[in-house]
Amino acid sequence: MTAHRDRPPLPGPEPTGSRPTRPDDPPTPLSPIVTDVPAPSPRIPAAPPAPHRPLLDMTIDGRPVAVPAGSTILEACRAEGIDIPTLCQVEALEPAGVCRLCVVDTGGRALTPSCSTPVTEGMDVRTGSERVRHARRLILELIGSAVRMDLAGPELPDGSVAAWMAEYGADPTRFGPPAPPAGPDERDDRHAGHHRAPDGAVAETMAQPVKVDNDYYVRDYSRCILCYKCVDACGAEAQNTFAISVAGRGFDARISTEGNVPLPTSACVYCGNCIAVCPTGALMTRTEFEMREAGTWDAAAQTTTETICGYCGVGCTLSLTVQDERIVRVLSPLGHDITRGNLCVKGRFGYAFVQSRPTDAGEARTG
Amino acid sequence: MDLHIVAPLASPEERAAIDAVLTPLIGAPASGRAAGERPYEEAHLAHGGHEARSRRDLLLPALHAVQDRIGWVSEPAIGYICRRLTIPPADAHGVASFYALLSTRPLPPTAVHVCDDMACRLAGSERICADLQRALGPEGEPVDEGGATWFRSPCLGRCEQAPAALLTVAGDPARRTGGGPVSGPAILDLLRDGSGARPLGMDDAVDTDGGTSPTEARLARIRRSVPQAGRTGLRLLRRIGTIDPTSLEDFVAAGGYSALRSSIEMGPGAVIDAIVAAGPVGRGGAAFPTGRKWAAVAAAVARPKYVVCDADEAEPGTFKDRALLEEDPFAIVEAMTIAGFATGAERGFIYIRGEYPLGEARMANAIASARSAGFLGADVMGAGLAFDIEVRRGGGAYICGEETALFASIEGYRGEPRNKPPFPVERGLFGGPTVINNVETLANVPWIVLEGSDAYASRGTPGSTGDKLFSVSGHVARPGIYETEFGPTLGEIIDLAGGVRGGRRLRAVLLGGAAGVFVGPDALDMPLTYEHAAEAGATLGAGAIVVLDETADLLDLAARIARFFRDESCGQCIPCRIGTVRQEELLARIRSGRTRGSVQDELALLADLGRAMRDASICGLGRTANEAIASALRLPGVLA
Ligand SMILES: Cc1cc2nc3c(=O)[nH]c(=O)nc-3n(C[C@H](O)[C@H](O)[C@H](O)COP(=O)(O)O)c2cc1C
Ligand code: SF4
Ligand code: SF4
Ligand code: SF4
Ligand code: FES
Ligand code: FES
């Protein structure tokens, strides 16, 4: 539950086809009221008109631009085709503003996180100054020195961490060789405000054993960047289950269930919404995890098929990842107006029947 | 929200401790069968009513209640709190595990927290730690399930008593007391004695005979912390040691509440005008003009508004607020009431660090006495003004002194700062417009109201008006809290504290604490004003002055500061969460001589880190976490 983070409210996704309006735009004509007998086929009510959003004048990298009020700096920059790397920002969730990779220079004493800062009239934004590039380089070096980032990126909409590392000249090995991994649950037991003094020979990391405690998904917190996405998705922003939270403090902060109990004992309902928003592969379905371990996960051989979930009347869009004619993962489009990438346990994991084949003996066989 | 609680049932003792805090505020737990629910012992049902659901701010007080009673906070106890307040247990676990003074692992009832921060290091705290380790086992791990354990602690805010310690003995009532100077054998004797009655150090000793009445003997003891106590000409410290801090009558007789009376006569606008004209800036470290803050909240249309007093005082080397809380608590109550009157806020909170049990008790007593005498409540002084104050205890987290983290902590969330803007004057506590001021800042308010802004502004310099409290510690003859008009030089303040101890040569001074900078003897002529410090690339911070003579090991102190920031980072943002770890590792390499590349390479890496932390961290902790360390390494002779 992150209600206290209370960042300035940001506009939701634009209904398709809408555009910001200027005050002098003609009003949208109203559709005529139908007084006939209602048509037999149910009509989906039209979306309410887009809120009126006046344009603000600002400057991005010296270029004057007009940006709809309420946009974030990040949205304004992306609309201008300027790429800004982000780690803790995911479509469909409120920005957390914590990774700081997206910082830009607005002339203040410190840099500004573009993902969570609304534009203001007259703002002068610099996205690629030496100061900005230095901060981004160090952030990439720091996160790369502490967290396994090899799965972070390729599936992000906007580039890969490896490409950013190259672009910013980041060298995560500058801080020394990695320390040996922590033991099982060792990080979960740490007491806030206390830690063992380092000798500096090795760099402390998040490395720890993967938590495999249920049939649906695994938690590899060696890959966790503490972006709060899973917590927000599980809590107030989507699922309302609140099974996980950030626990501990400082470098010992970690995502945890209540009292670090295994997932099957926790409040988790296996909706998998946290998996869908995790940007680093820290949360991964058991199927994907096992295929990767076995070396059979082959992104190049995968196709995606969209369909509608058949379990209930909500009709969530499913996006099936298929490899070798078998479903290996179920996602839902993050940009969808209604479901925003969320599913329930049935839609997310209840696909075994699809690939069950009658055996010679005539019984159904899953696998 | 589906509340799903899996922990086993809390013990009757845990429940009693929790109910003792919650029942007066949200009513008794639903009584089971009568309400159509099974009794607690039989079922895991969540049954918080609406009042409970909206009282997440009671989470931290309830966690403290369990820690106080049992010595640690079990998952069943957290489960019971969650059931009563309708909070997801994972969230509550996240909050409990955030605070150093709460333990989610089993601990014996007694814990000694030994300060091993700067002033205490200089006074031999490592020897105490070694003694305790030998007798009690490693930190936090009692030998043979013994009845006591010990922890290292960051600065306990008693640097003038160094080496200091905080003792916590769980029970009903719990005993929490801090003091110094302590020694390993004395602590072990006290633990063996078991009666828990023996004083730990100076703090307890202040009151031994004659209670809190202002006797000469008591004044003499107070002078060991506040050497100027009882002198004339003081503004902020004028009542320290000369009145009974538990007596409202004494306070009123010594001029208390005349400022509130004048404020009510002047009206809110005139009070704010006076503060603006007097020009004080915040004494909590950020030096923001207080009048502007108050004016912004007065002008805000959103309701309700709040007044918050930041008494978290956890900046290493800073202990001045402690004296005000312990010895002149009614002055803070009065000043907060004036702030409420001037800005239109009806509720105040004072957030006191958990390491200040005496200050907390004195404040709670002052608030209760003021309330029963009509100085707080629905009709303050019969003037139709409504204002009341609640005390909140911190849990051992430096970051909770940062204003937005402090709000989150009061609200029952993890003490994580948020991005600003919006600033507290717009969206502060519970999202309402909020005046947040440091204890010392508030102590200036009655003075401004009574003597007028001209008189106030005539003291100090145009950029730094009024008086300032300095916490002087380390290698000086008379460490303590000193009040001066702004203007004297650093050297003059050190002389006020008796000069460098034992006639030794001055090596360096840490100005502003861990978030400050080290300066060399060449800075002795610098006037201690905000403008002169800024000009010299230094900072006053909250007025900490740690004096170091030629025997001080600056690398050791820099390493302690690095450890402090590594422990105290809230962990939200990458530059600070990981940067503070890398900084500490780097210093360990410099100290051991096993650098990666040359020392110059390490310094370049440290500078790279510092720049990114300063530029990209969310809050002041990460932004300043490199300054003191980098400045220590720049002092001549530190890197051989
Ligand atoms: C890491 C950190 C710790 C802080 N700790 C304290 C503190 O213990 N007490 C305090 O008054 N201000 C502290 N502050 C400053 C507060 O955020 C805030 O500026 C201050 O309470 C405002 O009051 P003032 O204007 O009266 O100084 C801290 C700031 C930071 C960044
Ligand atoms: S699977 Fe669903 S319920 Fe379980 S932790 Fe993830 S978001 Fe929460
Ligand atoms: S597990 Fe994934 S989504 Fe959750 S905080 Fe870590 S990186 Fe982010
Ligand atoms: S700078 Fe440090 S303390 Fe401040 S928000 Fe970031 S991690 Fe937390
Ligand atoms: S993407 Fe903006 S702070 Fe992480
Ligand atoms: S009390 Fe030990 S350094 Fe402040």
Side-chain angles (χ1 to χ4, degrees):
Chain A
M1 203 189 263
T2 49
H4 81 275
R5 274 193 272 139
D6 213 7
R7 297 186 167 88
L10 296 167
E14 285 292 310
T16 339
S18 78
R19 65 179 178 87
T21 50
R22 288 211 178 254
D24 48 350
D25 277 355
T28 328
L30 294 172
S31 45
I33 297 166
V34 182
T35 48
D36 293 0
V37 191
S41 68
R43 283 194 49 200
I44 298 166
H52 179 73
R53 292 169 72 187
L55 293 173
L56 299 180
D57 292 313
M58 61 181 293
T59 317
I60 300 179
D61 292 337
R63 250 185 288 161
V65 291
V67 178
S71 314
T72 62
I73 298 177
L74 181 65
E75 287 164 339
C77 292
R78 288 195 171 156
E80 288 301 301
I82 294 167
D83 180 44
I84 292 182
T86 60
L87 277 175
C88 70
Q89 197 262 350
V90 168
E91 190 182 350
L93 292 176
E94 290 282 309
V98 294
C99 76
R100 317 303 279 183
L101 190 59
C102 70
V103 287
V104 295
D105 197 338
T106 53
R109 261 197 307 171
L111 300 174
T112 306
S114 62
C115 65
S116 46
T117 308
V119 294
T120 53
E121 178 72 32
M123 193 177 241
D124 182 6
V125 174
R126 253 153 254 277
T127 68
S129 66
E130 193 273 333
R131 201 175 163 209
V132 167
R133 292 185 61 86
H134 176 86
R136 290 191 192 152
R137 169 165 71 94
L138 264 288
I139 288 166
L140 288 167
E141 290 178 339
L142 287 170
I143 199 74
S145 71
V147 179
R148 270 186 78 181
M149 296 295 281
D150 53 329
L151 293 182
E155 297 181 0
L156 289 174
D158 42 17
S160 80
V161 172
W164 295 333
M165 294 263 181
E167 184 193 335
Y168 288 93
D171 170 14
T173 65
R174 289 169 92 196
F175 307 104
D185 292 335
E186 186 194 317
R187 285 184 55 86
D188 298 279
D189 285 340
R190 293 194 183 162
H191 184 121
H194 297 272
H195 71 279
R196 208 170 293 143
D199 66 6
V202 289
E204 194 179 358
T205 72
M206 294 283 280
Q208 59 192 298
V210 184
K211 290 187 199 287
V212 184
D213 57 11
N214 68 86
D215 292 340
Y216 298 103
Y217 77 104
V218 303
R219 298 173 292 154
D220 181 359
Y221 292 128
S222 307
R223 301 179 182 277
C224 177
I225 57 168
L226 283 169
C227 66
Y228 292 66
K229 295 295 99 174
C230 53
V231 177
D232 290 350
C234 186
E237 287 191 42
Q239 178 59 24
N240 259 284
T241 293
F242 300 95
I244 47 176
S245 173
V246 182
R249 187 165 91 193
F251 192 76
D252 302 329
R254 64 257 170 190
I255 304 296
S256 178
T257 56
E258 55 172 301
N260 187 35
V261 296
L263 276 179
T265 340
S266 78
C268 173
V269 297
Y270 302 107
C271 64
N273 293 331
C274 54
I275 311 171
V277 294
C278 179
T280 62
L283 306 179
M284 190 181 277
T285 65
R286 188 88 186 245
T287 308
E288 178 174 346
F289 175 70
E290 281 168 4
M291 288 177 74
R292 284 188 187 274
E293 292 280 285
T296 54
W297 183 267
D298 182 3
Q302 291 168 354
T303 54
T304 303
T305 304
E306 293 228 335
T307 181
I308 302 291
C309 178
Y311 276 107
C312 81
V314 174
C316 299
T317 306
L318 302 182
S319 170
L320 310 176
T321 308
V322 177
Q323 181 182 329
D324 304 330
E325 296 193 27
R326 303 177 55 76
I327 299 170
V328 293
R329 182 174 56 192
V330 180
L331 295 170
S332 183
L334 287 176
H336 191 283
D337 284 3
I338 312 278
T339 54
R340 295 174 151 224
N342 298 308
L343 293 172
C344 77
V345 61
K346 290 174 284 183
R348 180 89 59 196
F349 291 108
Y351 56 81
F353 75 93
V354 177
Q355 35 219 34
S356 67
R357 299 269 185 274
T359 60
D360 293 344
E363 307 142 7
R365 181 177 59 86
T366 59
Chain B
M1 178 201 314
D2 277 344
L3 201 58
H4 174 98
I5 295 170
V6 299
L9 300 173
S11 72
E13 211 183 350
E14 289 169 330
R15 273 148 52 201
I18 294 161
D19 288 339
V21 175
L22 298 185
T23 300
L25 297 162
I26 59 164
S31 62
R33 289 183 211 287
E37 291 171 350
R38 283 178 291 163
Y40 176 72
E41 285 75 9
E42 287 175 29
H44 275 176
L45 292 173
H47 45 54
H50 174 72
E51 332 68 275
R53 269 197 294 281
S54 53
R55 293 307 303 272
R56 182 162 174 153
D57 64 301
L58 296 176
L59 173 58
L60 184 54
L63 290 168
H64 275 310
V66 181
Q67 177 75 34
D68 279 0
R69 183 78 62 98
I70 314 287
W72 66 286
V73 186
S74 70
E75 284 306 316
I78 292 182
Y80 185 67
I81 296 171
C82 289
R83 181 187 322 274
R84 295 224 43 201
L85 295 173
T86 319
I87 295 172
D91 260 35
H93 173 77
V95 171
S97 58
F98 186 83
Y99 295 102
L101 291 179
L102 301 177
S103 173
T104 53
R105 285 185 310 131
L107 283 184
T110 300
V112 184
H113 302 262
V114 180
C115 176
D116 70 348
D117 220 322
M118 284 171 285
C120 294
R121 293 186 92 62
L122 301 174
S125 58
E126 281 308 311
R127 271 200 310 281
I128 301 175
C129 293
D131 288 349
L132 295 186
Q133 166 125 6
R134 221 173 299 116
L136 302 177
E139 231 193 315
E141 284 167 29
V143 272
D144 306 331
E145 317 267 295
T149 189
W150 71 285
F151 290 99
R152 289 171 183 273
S153 169
C155 178
L156 288 168
R158 302 166 190 285
C159 319
E160 87 284 12
Q161 308 168 11
L166 173 77
L167 173 73
T168 57
V169 185
D172 184 21
R175 177 162 180 243
R176 298 188 305 128
T177 182
V182 294
S183 70
I187 291 175
L188 290 168
D189 269 0
L190 182 126
L191 294 179
R192 252 177 248 121
D193 177 30
S195 70
R198 250 195 250 191
L200 185 63
M202 283 158 63
D203 243 33
D204 282 355
V206 165
D207 293 338
T208 41
D209 45 79
T212 50
S213 332
T215 59
E216 270 307 311
R218 190 169 189 276
L219 180 62
R221 291 202 191 89
I222 285 177
R223 283 205 176 118
R224 291 186 296 190
S225 290
V226 187
Q228 297 161 316
R231 294 227 197 121
T232 52
L234 299 172
R235 305 303 206 274
L236 306 170
L237 298 176
R238 72 183 179 285
R239 276 183 294 258
I240 306 283
T242 63
I243 62 162
D244 178 344
T246 63
S247 160
L248 177 59
E249 293 70 42
D250 268 28
F251 176 70
V252 171
Y257 278 112
S258 47
L260 179 58
R261 186 165 293 116
S262 303
S263 300
I264 292 171
E265 282 158 17
M266 288 158 70
V271 172
I272 289 179
D273 289 347
I275 307 282
V276 171
V281 300
R283 310 296 199 229
F288 187 84
T290 307
R292 270 176 45 203
K293 228 183 239 189
W294 287 31
V297 173
V301 284
R303 295 281 184 296
K305 304 175 182 179
Y306 297 92
V307 172
V308 176
C309 175
D310 189 339
D312 196 52
E313 192 163 63
E315 184 65 56
T318 313
F319 45 96
K320 46 146 190 130
D321 293 343
R322 194 194 80 235
L324 297 173
L325 295 166
E326 291 178 354
E327 296 298 331
D328 200 8
F330 288 99
I332 303 163
V333 176
E334 181 183 8
M336 287 178 71
T337 312
I338 296 174
F341 171 72
T343 58
E346 298 192 344
R347 278 182 80 188
F349 285 83
I350 176 163
Y351 187 94
I352 305 176
R353 72 180 301 204
E355 295 84 346
Y356 282 178
L358 184 61
E360 182 188 334
R362 293 264 164 85
M363 280 308 305
N365 173 72
I367 289 167
S369 316
R371 193 181 295 131
S372 55
F375 287 109
L376 285 176
D379 184 17
V380 174
M381 291 180 90
L385 160 70
F387 189 73
D388 214 328
I389 303 176
E390 284 178 49
V391 176
R392 288 306 163 91
R393 188 204 300 175
Y398 167 64
I399 190 56
C400 289
E402 196 279 341
E403 50 199 12
T404 60
L406 188 153
F407 300 148
S409 180
I410 292 182
E411 291 165 13
Y413 294 89
R414 294 163 52 78
E416 294 172 347
R418 60 160 172 77
N419 287 310
K420 291 183 271 190
F423 290 96
V425 293
E426 262 173 83
R427 294 181 67 79
L429 187 62
F430 302 116
T434 303
V435 166
I436 176 164
N437 276 130
N438 172 256
V439 176
E440 181 191 347
T441 312
L442 287 167
N444 284 277
V445 166
W447 168 21
I448 294 170
V449 170
L450 289 176
E451 294 191 21
S453 46
D454 289 348
Y456 182 94
S458 71
R459 285 177 69 87
T461 62
S464 307
T465 55
D467 284 19
K468 176 83 193 92
L469 298 181
F470 290 100
S471 310
V472 188
S473 66
H475 292 137
V476 287
R478 280 190 308 276
I481 300 157
Y482 291 90
E483 172 175 343
T484 80
E485 179 176 1
F486 273 108
T489 62
L490 174 59
E492 284 163 341
I493 303 242
I494 293 175
D495 288 344
L496 198 58
V500 179
R501 190 182 293 173
R504 292 220 179 82
R505 274 202 2 249
L506 180 77
R507 175 77 194 281
V509 176
L510 175 60
L511 270 183
V517 290
F518 286 93
V519 294
D522 52 322
L524 284 176
D525 295 332
M526 177 176 80
L528 290 185
T529 66
Y530 293 105
E531 57 275 22
H532 287 98
E535 205 177 288
T539 170
L540 293 192
I545 296 179
V546 188
V547 178
L548 306 165
D549 71 20
E550 57 211 345
T551 64
D553 178 349
L554 280 151
L555 270 182
D556 173 66
L557 294 173
R560 181 65 186 92
I561 293 174
R563 168 147 68 90
F564 175 78
F565 283 117
R566 194 283 191 203
D567 277 336
E568 300 299 331
S569 162
C570 83
Q572 255 190 126
C573 59
I574 292 174
C576 171
R577 176 175 79 241
I578 310 179
T580 52
V581 172
R582 297 296 173 247
Q583 227 178 220
E584 192 192 12
E585 290 167 348
L586 189 151
L587 272 175
R589 291 197 294 271
I590 290 186
R591 287 183 74 200
S592 67
R594 289 192 291 273
T595 49
R596 286 177 56 76
S598 67
V599 170
Q600 286 317 311
D601 293 336
E602 296 280 18
L603 290 179
L605 186 57
L606 187 70
D608 269 3
L609 272 172
R611 203 172 152 218
M613 290 165 74
R614 192 159 47 250
D615 276 348
S617 293
I618 293 178
C619 83
L621 188 149
R623 290 181 193 173
T624 58
N626 176 266
E627 309 281 314
I629 296 167
S631 66
L633 301 187
R634 276 196 303 268
L635 287 172
V638 170
L639 292 175

